[in-house]
Amino acid sequence: MTHVDHIQSKIARPIGVAKLGYPQLIACVALLAVLCVSLPNLADPMIRFDDYPAYFADPTHFYMKTLSEGRWVNYWWHLRGFVTPSWVNFALYQVLWAAFAASVAYSAMRSDQERMFGPILAVIIIVAPPATMISLWFNTLLPGLGLVALYAVLGVVLSQSLHRALLPPFVIAGFMAYTTYPLLLLTVCLVCTKQRSLKDLAGLIVLFVLSFSAALMVAYGLNYHAHGVFGIQLSDWREANGAANIGDAISNFPVALDSFRTFLSNSSYAFPPVAVFHLLMLAISIGVLARNSASEALYLGGGLLLGLVFITLQCLKTGAVAPNRAFVFAWVIYAILVVRAAQILCSQEGLVSRLAKNSVFLILGLYVMQTFVQYSSYRDWQIQTRNIFERTPYLAQPLFVNGDVVNMTSAKKANIQDPLALVFRAQQLGVSNVVLCSSDTSECEGTVEVQINLDDL
């Protein structure tokens, strides 16, 4: 037992944590971590405007996304016919994300050598910036994340052959929940592989590519049946520039570069030194694993490269920027590489060991803090809108709202991008007859009084 483990054991024994097995310890730490960083957003979670249809179980406002994004699993979820409180949905979503993180961390660590690194990896996955961003669509993505978390848990309890056999159906369903969920499923397979070889990696990649191709065909087939279009037609707001030939695809290459640049910037909270730090950590970690566990470096590096190639091809084909939230898989693989390299280096004594450990703790501390701050940034919007509409008596006539919703101070802080956010928020709080005068001036004309003026708030 190392000195650090000895201290941890002394601290944990009074509360019974020392009696937990290694997988149970990782799971408990992951659950505690996700609840702590989510605390500012748990009681009244922030909902993005286009996530409200899933919250209200209203398929009519989501149906066209089956054509524009192929999200049939999400559409079927909208048909469930019942509504649950937003805090229940968000809490369940975060618990599922913790289950995924804990399962991946346990599978990646393989042993309880340097026991602290399993829980640390789970927490670093939990606080992934793209995961925090995409969690604001928790109502829509709940079934998809459930599939991803289930596959990760099955990777811990099932044999490798049976787990691999389940990859195609999970990829097909996962793709129809969110386009890059299959890359998370591939990551699970990579870390769950026990006997690694070039032949096995090649077979896994072929299986994944075939599964992804099948997912495209299923989504395209459903779109053809429902919309008469064999394919996916991106929405106008994505400003896509579809490639008709190789020359068009090459001209879209800057779009892919912009996607990677945005991901790196957002994952570093727009602070260039942190971006440089991450790139150095990635290069060093791959080097450490290549020297000490070449097959592991090959699997993880190959998975990261394959995922980035998939996103690049998508950008070249569509000419649309890949959103930051599409890169969750990249952060997960990055976290595994860094923590595994630190685990290897910490088996030695000296300066290198201390630097490796301190670097991991730096990432852990910085991103736990930033995730908590990020979830806190939505509180002003939630509180202000609740104060507005909970004090508004029921009105048989429409409630007119005058002013620019997006430019409200609390809206800017919460990055509100569409005035409909206020309308849906009012509906969530029981006020269903709100009219935005700035967007529907014809209905506001002739009104004696505007009941709410946002400029006065």
Side-chain angles (χ1 to χ4, degrees), residues 306-358:
L306 180 62
L308 296 179
V309 167
F310 263 70
I311 289 183
T312 300
L313 291 176
Q314 181 69 9
C315 291
L316 297 181
K317 177 178 179 292
T318 64
V321 173
N324 181 55
R325 53 187 178 271
F327 289 87
V328 178
F329 78 95
W331 179 275
V332 173
I333 295 177
Y334 165 73
I336 297 169
L337 285 166
V338 168
V339 176
R340 275 291 293 131
Q343 186 183 41
I344 291 170
L345 293 175
C346 284
S347 62
Q348 315 167 16
E349 293 294 336
L351 179 62
V352 172
S353 174
R354 291 194 297 273
L355 286 175
K357 195 173 296 186
N358 290 340

Side-chain angles (χ1 to χ4, degrees), residues 241-254 312-313 315-317:
N241 180 32
N245 51 55
I246 295 179
D248 291 343
I250 294 174
S251 68
N252 285 333
F253 193 71
T312 300
L313 291 176
C315 291
L316 297 181
K317 177 178 179 292

Side-chain angles (χ1 to χ4, degrees), residues 67-86:
L67 175 61
S68 63
E69 300 180 26
R71 296 199 195 179
W72 283 97
V73 166
N74 295 340
Y75 174 69
W76 295 327
W77 169 242
H78 283 65
L79 299 173
R80 65 190 184 276
F82 62 88
V83 175
T84 47
S86 60

Side-chain angles (χ1 to χ4, degrees), residues 55 80 84-94 138-139 142:
Y55 169 70
R80 65 190 184 276
T84 47
S86 60
W87 68 267
V88 171
N89 297 345
F90 182 70
L92 178 57
Y93 180 94
Q94 293 295 73
F138 59 92
N139 295 291
L142 195 55

Side-chain angles (χ1 to χ4, degrees), residues 41 46-48 51 132-138 375 378:
N41 203 47
M46 175 70 185
I47 304 176
R48 288 300 183 201
D51 186 46
T132 302
M133 179 176 293
I134 202 174
S135 69
L136 301 184
W137 285 267
F138 59 92
Y375 280 128
Y378 312 116

Side-chain angles (χ1 to χ4, degrees), residues 55-56 58 389 422-432 434:
Y55 169 70
F56 294 127
D58 178 10
F389 294 113
L422 187 66
V423 177
F424 285 134
R425 175 65 169 162
Q427 186 177 345
Q428 180 188 8
L429 297 172
V431 182
S432 58
V434 171

